[in-house]
Amino acid sequence: EMSSWQKKSHLKTFPNFAEYLGYLFDPNSVLVGPALDFCDYYEFTHDKGGSNLPRKPSCVLPALKHLAGNLMCVGVHLVGNSIFPTTLVGSEVFFSFSLPYK
């Protein structure tokens, strides 16, 4: 006979190979070992709304914010590199400039 925890956490269907590999190679599991049971991982990844697991937040807005920040950094680099080329830093002309200009 199964205990109450076993009844709650047993799998109704057998996971496919990709789902199991996703559980094994989850970055947290790789670093410190499995942090949660497979049944909780399965419910979380399939939006089943597990018993004590939060819903997955949308990742679109944070990804767009990171993309915008990265594009801004690329723009600053391109503009700055056109004004102050990196080849200038190692040249003799660079050493003749005053300290504030450097």
Side-chain angles (χ1 to χ4, degrees):
E1 184 173 318
M2 293 193 296
S3 67
S4 62
W5 178 80
Q6 288 173 332
K7 289 177 186 176
K8 180 185 79 90
S9 64
H10 82 281
L11 296 174
K12 282 35 168 197
T13 60
F14 197 73
N16 64 32
F17 190 64
E19 291 170 339
Y20 187 64
L21 285 179
Y23 173 70
L24 286 179
F25 294 110
D26 177 50
N28 298 323
S29 296
V30 169
L31 292 175
V32 295
L36 48 110
D37 295 324
F38 184 80
C39 63
D40 292 333
Y41 172 81
Y42 185 84
E43 287 177 356
F44 184 74
T45 56
H46 288 82
D47 288 333
K48 303 279 189 204
S51 57
N52 57 359
L53 296 174
R55 304 274 306 168
K56 286 191 298 186
S58 174
C59 61
V60 173
L61 188 60
L64 290 176
K65 286 181 181 178
H66 282 283
L67 178 64
N70 290 336
L71 290 175
M72 186 175 65
C73 288
V74 167
V76 167
H77 173 73
L78 291 175
V79 170
N81 199 26
S82 66
I83 297 170
F84 302 106
T86 55
T87 56
L88 178 66
V89 175
S91 68
E92 292 293 326
V93 177
F94 179 76
F95 293 112
S96 67
F97 293 146
S98 66
L99 187 61
Y101 185 76
K102 289 180 188 178

